[in-house]
Amino acid sequence: MENNGEILLVEEALAMNSKMPMKQIYSCIVCTKNHFFVIPTKSIGMFVIFNTIKNHAYFDGLSIFEGLKKMINEAENVEDLEAKIAELLEQDEKYIFKLEDATKLKISGFLGKKTLMFRKGKSWASFSPKSKAGGKELAAFYNF
């Protein structure tokens, strides 16, 4: 995990959402104070594996995590980074979550693992960092 106070980069997480409830998405997550972005690294479920991101210029010869670190380092500010990641994800609402739109936002824990749950009306999304330390860092980042 990378955390500079304004941006938290989670290298390994498992994400799920109501738009694809039968699919577990192994992901890198970029968290800002206003958004979180799910960047799939591979997916398991009934749908096609997300492959657009592998063709993006930032990831040429790099892992998705390394490409995201490069994007973060090159961004002029958080708003610039949010815009670039939204563009990278083709503005797809299955992967982009604006925290102020949440009707309910919480971080819960079970056996030391933390999960961020985002609800907006009847739809939901969640992700869990793979490591326990990552979950603690996530809770601290969002002040839960």
Side-chain angles (χ1 to χ4, degrees):
M1 294 186 78
E2 300 263 325
N3 182 357
N4 72 5
E6 293 183 348
I7 300 162
L8 176 69
L9 176 58
V10 181
E11 182 174 5
E12 293 182 277
L14 182 64
M16 297 179 74
N17 68 55
S18 60
K19 295 185 187 329
M20 303 174 291
M22 302 299 291
K23 185 174 182 180
Q24 296 178 330
I25 307 163
Y26 291 90
S27 313
C28 288
I29 309 288
V30 177
C31 301
T32 67
K33 298 297 183 180
N34 300 318
H35 292 83
F36 73 89
F37 302 89
V38 176
I39 299 93
T41 54
K42 95 179 168 184
S43 59
I44 297 175
M46 299 173 65
F47 301 96
V48 179
I49 292 176
F50 187 92
N51 60 11
T52 306
I53 199 148
K54 292 180 180 137
N55 300 324
H56 195 277
Y58 276 103
F59 302 92
D60 189 31
L62 301 173
S63 71
I64 291 174
F65 179 71
E66 291 166 341
L68 290 169
K69 282 175 64 171
K70 180 180 173 189
M71 283 180 85
I72 290 167
N73 292 334
E74 291 176 358
E76 293 178 25
N77 55 44
V78 174
E79 293 77 20
D80 180 47
L81 177 68
E82 289 172 342
K84 285 181 179 177
I85 293 176
E87 180 184 320
L88 174 72
L89 294 169
E90 299 174 342
Q91 306 295 334
D92 192 335
E93 63 184 36
K94 291 188 303 282
Y95 304 109
I96 302 169
F97 302 92
K98 191 171 185 177
L99 300 181
E100 71 180 23
D101 292 346
T103 53
K104 186 174 187 180
L105 184 68
K106 71 175 189 170
I107 295 178
S108 58
F110 182 71
L111 298 175
K113 299 269 274 185
K114 302 280 187 200
T115 300
L116 184 141
M117 176 62 82
F118 172 96
R119 288 196 177 277
K120 180 181 174 184
K122 291 184 179 184
S123 65
W124 58 269
S126 68
F127 75 88
S128 301
K130 190 171 182 180
S131 70
K132 290 180 183 179
K136 287 180 183 177
E137 199 168 341
L138 173 68
F141 182 77
Y142 283 122
N143 298 319
F144 278 88

